[in-house]
Amino acid sequence: MYQHILVPVDLNENGFGDKAVELAVWHAQRSGGIIHLLNVLPGIHMAMVSSYFPKDAARKMMQDTQMKLREFAATHIPEGVQHVETVSEGKPWSTIVDHARQIKADLIIMPSHQRTKVDKLMLGSVAAKVVENAPGQILVLKPPGS
């Protein structure tokens, strides 16, 4: 079945990635696969962004996010299920696609945000761009009520 299951997680939205991780655990338990949790921090080292923060802010933000992702994993992934937590920086969709290639993900399970038509037109959808560009199988979970 699936050996490397990638689950992009947005830690800023409580409950957002829970169902995706639940499905990843189900698949990993049946196939002996590894769950790869990924959180993407958008552009914290870009010159334009970093000039507004103290020099140590980017490193602190990365450390805090790693700790939160570790806590998220401890809460949602049972003992005995192999998993890896990664915090990366960059454009969310391309960072997810790059990470999927790097770990040779054969399944990506990701939740989709509820977006307005204007948001989709102006910003595009991270999930849609991942579906278009990522390797392997991709399962996108729609938000409740969609």
Side-chain angles (χ1 to χ4, degrees), residues 92-138:
W93 76 266
S94 61
T95 304
I96 293 167
V97 169
D98 291 345
H99 195 72
R101 287 191 176 115
Q102 180 184 4
I103 65 167
K104 296 179 178 29
D106 41 13
L107 177 62
I108 300 171
I109 302 175
M110 62 184 301
S112 176
H113 285 94
Q114 181 79 39
R115 297 273 189 225
T116 66
K117 289 181 182 180
V118 173
D119 285 342
K120 287 179 187 173
L121 181 64
M122 299 298 286
L123 304 173
S125 163
V126 171
K129 289 178 180 173
V130 170
V131 168
E132 289 175 25
N133 296 286
Q137 300 297 312
I138 303 164

Side-chain angles (χ1 to χ4, degrees), residues 23-36:
L23 278 169
V25 166
W26 187 88
H27 282 288
Q29 287 175 327
R30 276 140 192 83
S31 64
I34 301 170
I35 298 173
H36 299 265

